[in-house]
Amino acid sequence: MEVPAGKREGNETHEEGLLREVKEETGYISLSKPILLGEFMVNPATQNNMVKTYLIQDAFKRHDQDLDDTEDIKVKLYEFDRFGDYILTNKIKTQLFTVNAYLLAKNFILEKQQL
């Protein structure tokens, strides 16, 4: 399992590319502005590319998926409050980017609640 991901096309901003990729891969959109949670090196020992991680709040399904020929994506929704437990108990099999995105989003939400 992984979070939607991709790269910018043409002169897109990071936010425009993110919203397009999420719409294409999941059919979901949001009327809220994406929140940048962090920017990190993938593997600085061997690569120089960066990953920007965003949180999209209040997303809702508006479209059908519009997948590339090489994509086979099934959308599955999870309760955010239980997602950490699913990771820790191996109820879901995921990769590093998804865990990182979850922890960044959880931290952002907890900090926002404390204000």
Side-chain angles (χ1 to χ4, degrees):
M1 178 194 335
E2 58 187 271
V3 295
K7 61 181 183 172
R8 293 181 294 160
E9 293 180 358
N11 292 324
E12 286 180 325
T13 66
H14 291 289
E15 292 84 2
E16 290 167 341
L18 162 77
L19 294 172
R20 178 189 43 75
E21 286 286 349
V22 169
K23 178 183 169 188
E24 288 175 358
E25 292 182 0
T26 69
Y28 280 75
I29 65 168
S30 175
L31 302 178
S32 302
K33 181 178 173 39
I35 300 164
L36 178 62
L37 297 175
E39 182 175 2
F40 304 94
M41 299 292 294
V42 174
N43 183 349
T46 60
Q47 298 171 302
N48 63 3
N49 58 318
M50 301 287 286
V51 172
K52 289 181 182 272
T53 302
Y54 287 86
L55 174 64
I56 299 175
Q57 296 180 306
D58 304 318
F60 57 96
K61 181 141 175 111
R62 172 61 64 89
H63 304 279
D64 292 330
Q65 289 174 295
D66 183 17
L67 302 176
D68 294 336
D69 292 339
T70 59
E71 293 178 315
D72 180 21
I73 299 172
K74 292 170 185 49
V75 176
K76 187 163 184 179
L77 303 179
Y78 289 91
E79 292 179 49
F80 187 82
D81 293 339
R82 303 200 58 208
F83 197 73
D85 292 334
Y86 296 150
I87 294 170
L88 293 173
T89 59
N90 284 322
K91 289 185 181 175
I92 59 169
K93 306 293 184 207
T94 190
Q95 37 80 356
L96 183 59
F97 294 127
T98 301
V99 174
N100 184 58
Y102 166 73
L103 292 174
L104 288 170
K106 181 179 176 182
N107 186 58
F108 175 84
I109 291 167
L110 288 173
E111 285 181 2
K112 189 176 176 182
Q113 290 173 347
Q114 294 174 359
L115 295 178

